[in-house]
């Protein structure tokens, strides 16, 4: 079945609902996807059930509607919630850590943002393609992938690309919470939308490759060597972007009269430049 058949109506957001959600976020700290559908409280141990919705684990266990193996730990959502809480509590160290990689991604379309915005969490990126996910799905071990990428991988390998344990297409659930959060990011105005999202929203989702006929070929990785090649290419891109970012920051800082003895420690703290 297509993942969209599983989507809970609360997460299949219309354009009007997206706008309402953005307005609500301006009035409170967190989006709806961070709250349990049963408990209505901030999720502490989110799990996903077969329809793709996320709940508090204790609430699902109390209802006894599903077997233990039917409930998947939503690691991506838990990680995003944890980071957002840390940032909201003005944890400077956590904020810097979360921005180190995201800062590089902000610059990938070669534009300097004119306004500040929250950096995207790494959990929005597929560990196979290293791109933002259009159709997030989750496996029994709690890992979230781009649907086309993981299905193409499974058809070629019959295992998880991360742990090498046996994995089938039927094991996958849609991760509605991540889909919801990405829709919110996509629905932001041009003055606040993340540069990566601006680029991503105009792209077509990757297509599942038919390993026998070759139809739908989109060069999705099917070997660990190909994933490693993509990872290295991403690192190289980040280093190149990081060098450009450091140069831009240094020029701006110097134009404002800051001494290099002040600029370099700031760059190092943000992870923008490294010692040579």
């Amino acid at each position: 079945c297509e993942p969209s058949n599983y989507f809970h109506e609360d997460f299949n957001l219309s354009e009007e609902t997206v706008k309402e959600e953005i307005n609500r976020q301006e009035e409170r700290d967190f989006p709806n996807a961070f709250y349990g559908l049963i408990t209505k409280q901030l999720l502490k141990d989110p799990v996903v059930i077969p329809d793709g919705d996320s709940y508090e684990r204790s609430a699902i266990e109390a209802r006894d509607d599903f077997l233990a193996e039917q409930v998947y730990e939503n690691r991506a959502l838990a990680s995003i919630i944890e980071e957002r809480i840390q940032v909201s509590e003005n944890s400077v160290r956590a904020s810097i850590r979360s921005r180190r990689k995201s800062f590089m991604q902000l610059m990938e379309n070669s534009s300097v943002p004119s306004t500040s915005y929250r950096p995207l969490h790494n959990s929005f990126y597929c560990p196979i393609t290293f791109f933002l996910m259009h159709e997030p799905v989750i496996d029994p071990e709690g890992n979230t992938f781009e649907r086309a990428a993981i299905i193409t991988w499974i058809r070629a390998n019959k295992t998880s690309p991360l742990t090498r344990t046996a994995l089938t297409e039927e094991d996958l659930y849609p991760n509605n919470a991540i889909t919801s959060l990405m829709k919110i990011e996509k629905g932001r105005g041009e003055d606040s939308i993340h540069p990566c999202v601006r680029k991503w929203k105009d792209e077509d989702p990757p297509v599942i490759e038919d390993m026998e006929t070759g139809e739908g070929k989109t060069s999705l990785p099917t070997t660990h060597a190909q994933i490693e090649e993509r990872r290295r290419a991403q690192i190289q891109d980040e280093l190149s972007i990081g060098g450009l970012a450091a140069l831009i920051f240094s020029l701006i800082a110097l134009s404002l009269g800051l001494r290099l003895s002040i600029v370099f420690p700031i760059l190092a703290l943000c992870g923008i430049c490294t010692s040579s």
Side-chain angles (χ1 to χ4, degrees):
C1 295
E2 295 294 322
S4 57
N5 292 339
Y6 290 116
F7 283 2
H8 188 285
E9 61 181 0
D10 287 351
F11 287 95
N12 192 12
L13 305 180
S14 65
E15 183 177 349
E16 293 74 17
T17 305
V18 169
K19 292 180 179 178
E20 292 176 1
E21 174 71 3
I22 292 174
N23 290 334
R24 280 197 294 268
Q25 286 188 48
E26 294 176 351
E27 300 174 357
R28 67 181 190 186
D29 291 333
F30 309 111
N32 283 345
F34 284 17
Y35 296 86
L37 293 174
I38 297 175
T39 64
K40 309 300 181 183
Q41 300 296 316
L42 195 65
L43 290 166
K44 297 180 179 179
D45 186 9
V47 295
V48 181
I49 62 175
D51 69 0
D53 289 341
S54 291
Y55 295 83
E56 184 64 49
R57 182 187 297 274
S58 59
I60 288 296
E61 292 176 346
R63 295 182 64 164
D64 199 27
D65 292 333
F66 301 95
L67 299 175
E69 57 268 25
Q70 292 180 292
V71 178
Y72 299 171
E73 176 185 5
N74 197 340
R75 294 181 178 178
L77 180 59
S79 180
I80 292 170
I81 292 175
E82 180 182 8
E83 182 195 65
R84 191 72 64 85
I85 290 175
Q86 289 176 329
V87 172
S88 71
E89 293 175 348
N90 297 319
S91 174
V92 176
R93 291 179 180 273
S95 180
I96 291 175
R97 284 198 301 269
S98 72
R99 284 167 170 75
R100 292 178 68 177
K101 185 174 182 179
S102 298
F103 181 81
M104 308 307 178
Q105 294 164 339
L106 297 180
M107 300 286 291
E108 71 178 19
N109 70 342
S110 300
S111 63
V112 179
S114 59
T115 184
S116 60
Y117 40 75
R118 183 180 295 112
L120 293 176
H121 194 279
N122 291 340
S123 295
F124 288 127
Y125 294 83
C126 174
I128 297 176
T129 66
F130 297 98
F131 297 148
L132 290 173
M133 294 180 285
H134 293 269
E135 297 182 75
V137 295
I138 188 170
D139 72 4
E141 296 176 301
N143 304 305
T144 297
F145 305 90
E146 175 69 72
R147 178 175 179 269
I150 187 59
I151 290 180
T152 296
W153 178 276
I154 290 173
R155 292 181 180 180
N157 300 281
K158 315 298 183 187
T159 60
S160 164
L162 300 182
T163 63
R164 301 176 191 261
T165 56
L167 187 62
T168 68
E169 294 179 41
E170 291 71 25
D171 290 330
L172 304 174
Y173 298 166
N175 195 336
N176 294 343
I178 301 301
T179 299
S180 172
L181 292 173
M182 288 304 300
K183 264 198 167 181
I184 299 302
E185 295 297 331
K186 182 179 177 180
R188 295 188 184 281
E190 285 301 312
D191 59 335
S192 60
I193 191 171
H194 194 289
C196 294
V197 176
R198 182 184 294 110
K199 178 181 178 182
W200 163 83
K201 73 175 185 176
D202 294 327
E203 297 174 346
D204 293 327
V207 179
I208 299 172
E209 296 182 16
D210 189 313
M211 306 308 295
E212 295 182 358
T213 66
E215 294 181 0
K217 187 171 181 58
T218 55
S219 301
L220 292 170
T222 56
T223 68
H224 287 94
Q226 290 172 342
I227 290 180
E228 179 62 17
E229 183 179 354
R230 285 206 176 201
R231 187 188 68 82
R232 290 179 178 178
Q234 182 195 42
I235 292 175
Q236 185 61 45
D237 288 344
E238 289 178 351
L239 290 175
S240 299
I241 294 169
L244 176 61
L247 175 60
I248 293 174
F249 182 87
S250 298
L251 291 175
I252 294 175
L254 290 174
S255 69
L256 295 176
L258 294 179
R259 297 191 303 273
L260 288 177
S261 59
I262 298 176
V263 173
F264 287 143
I266 295 176
L267 294 176
L269 182 64
C270 294
I272 296 175
C273 64
T274 56
S275 58
S276 56

